[in-house]
Amino acid sequence: MNIFLDAMGGDNAPYEIVKGAVDAVKEYDVTLTLVGRRSVIEDELSKYDYPKDKIEILPAETVIENSEEPAMAIRRKPDSSLVVALEEMKTRENAVLISAGSTGALLSGGLLKLGRIKGIKRPALAATIPKNDGVFLLIDTGANADCKPEYLEQFAQLGKIYSENVLGKINPGIGLINIGAEAKKGNTLVKAAYELLEAGDFNFLGNVEARDIMETKADVLVCDGFTGNVVLKLTEGTADFILKGIKKSILSSTKGKIGGMLIKDNLKNFKKQFDYAEYGGAPFLGVNGGIIKAHGSSDAYAIKNAIRQSIKFVENDVLKKISENAKKMEA
């Protein structure tokens, strides 16, 4: 198992990345490789007591910033933490890279350096989102703004494999995001995708309207990357708005403050449902290697959970299962 962490990527790098790594090796007894400026990483590691044989450092001198054009930066900065990690992954089996840095650079780098798994038409970015009875996987969330029906069919396959092997779902239900529940609703893309999903080897539950997303019975919701990105960011924004509104209302009066104290634990549990840190990161599925995109503002807890996610990814042979499924679909 080869888990690499981009120690220089993200708003809270390197301190939260390093702390998350230390917490993970203590809790999961896993060996990790931190990629970035050696002196900076060593300074952070010196703050903690941890098993020294569990964390290695892979030196990299530069960092790809969010403001840089992704594909160009991958080519111009071969000594960046992201590129060095991707190059090293090519020489290792069971390798996963976690990065809270530039999303564009991570996706571009994954495609340029690792390539697609044979038979995969378009790799897709997935996100774990809370719902009324647990979580569901939303795929694609931004890697492919323009899609063909067969891409959405393959996204469903990718989501199904990940949901089974990392999220622990049995025979996961697949839903298709649409403007109506009826089979004939939607644009040309969605109607054609509906037919493919209905005829395919899926537990297909049909169309899911936007208003029903948070209470869906599906374990995987499929859409093009443009729609998925809008859904993801609208969900995050709405959750933030509701939580701030509840807090403001409680603090607006003495009666509210007293009531707030009585339901404090309930509110914490409610807030926890919408905390991205609980779910680790977003897997980029379909490339020839494990890639987990952590939130740019990830703290140590989020990084630790992304490492837990990576362990499941490797232990359950997700890459191998995606490859075997792609061959089966081609045949």
Side-chain angles (χ1 to χ4, degrees), residues 121-150:
K121 297 177 176 68
R122 291 290 187 279
L125 192 63
T128 305
I129 296 178
K131 61 175 181 170
N132 62 338
D133 60 351
V135 297
F136 68 89
L137 192 72
L138 178 66
I139 183 169
D140 178 34
T141 60
N144 306 278
D146 298 305
C147 288
K148 296 179 181 179
E150 56 266 33

Side-chain angles (χ1 to χ4, degrees), residues 93-254:
E93 292 184 354
N94 299 323
V96 180
L97 169 62
I98 300 166
S99 177
S102 166
T103 302
L106 183 63
L107 303 192
S108 295
L111 282 170
L112 289 169
K113 298 297 180 181
L114 303 179
R116 289 177 287 176
I117 291 173
K118 187 178 179 183
I120 295 295
K121 297 177 176 68
R122 291 290 187 279
L125 192 63
T128 305
I129 296 178
K131 61 175 181 170
N132 62 338
D133 60 351
V135 297
F136 68 89
L137 192 72
L138 178 66
I139 183 169
D140 178 34
T141 60
N144 306 278
D146 298 305
C147 288
K148 296 179 181 179
E150 56 266 33
Y151 298 172
L152 269 61
E153 180 189 21
Q154 201 163 67
F155 295 166
Q157 291 285 1
L158 294 171
K160 177 184 175 184
I161 292 167
Y162 186 86
S163 185
E164 287 173 336
N165 293 281
V166 178
L167 301 181
K169 305 289 184 178
I170 298 171
N171 191 27
I174 309 295
L176 180 65
I177 293 181
N178 202 346
I179 58 171
E182 300 86 354
K184 299 300 180 183
K185 279 285 184 76
N187 56 21
T188 304
L189 169 66
V190 176
K191 286 190 279 190
Y194 186 102
E195 292 180 4
L196 290 174
L197 294 174
E198 190 175 39
D201 183 22
F202 300 106
N203 176 17
F204 183 50
L205 305 181
N207 289 326
V208 177
E209 291 188 80
R211 66 182 178 186
D212 298 322
I213 285 176
M214 305 310 290
E215 295 188 330
T216 181
K217 298 297 181 187
D219 300 298
V220 178
L221 288 185
V222 178
C223 58
D224 63 87
F226 183 91
T227 301
N229 196 265
V230 171
V231 169
L232 177 64
K233 289 176 179 174
L234 179 61
T235 302
E236 289 177 344
T238 302
D240 187 54
F241 174 77
I242 291 171
L243 291 169
K244 285 179 178 176
I246 292 172
K247 183 178 180 180
K248 183 179 179 181
S249 180
I250 287 172
L251 296 176
S252 65
S253 67
T254 302

Side-chain angles (χ1 to χ4, degrees), residues 14 16 23-24 36 41 58 75 146 150 194 209 240 244 254 272 274 279 282 305 318 326:
E16 292 293 334
D23 291 343
I41 295 172
L58 182 62
R75 293 187 176 94
D146 298 305
E150 56 266 33
Y194 186 102
E209 291 188 80
D240 187 54
K244 285 179 178 176
T254 302
K272 192 176 179 181
F274 296 96
Y279 310 110
N305 283 335
V318 172

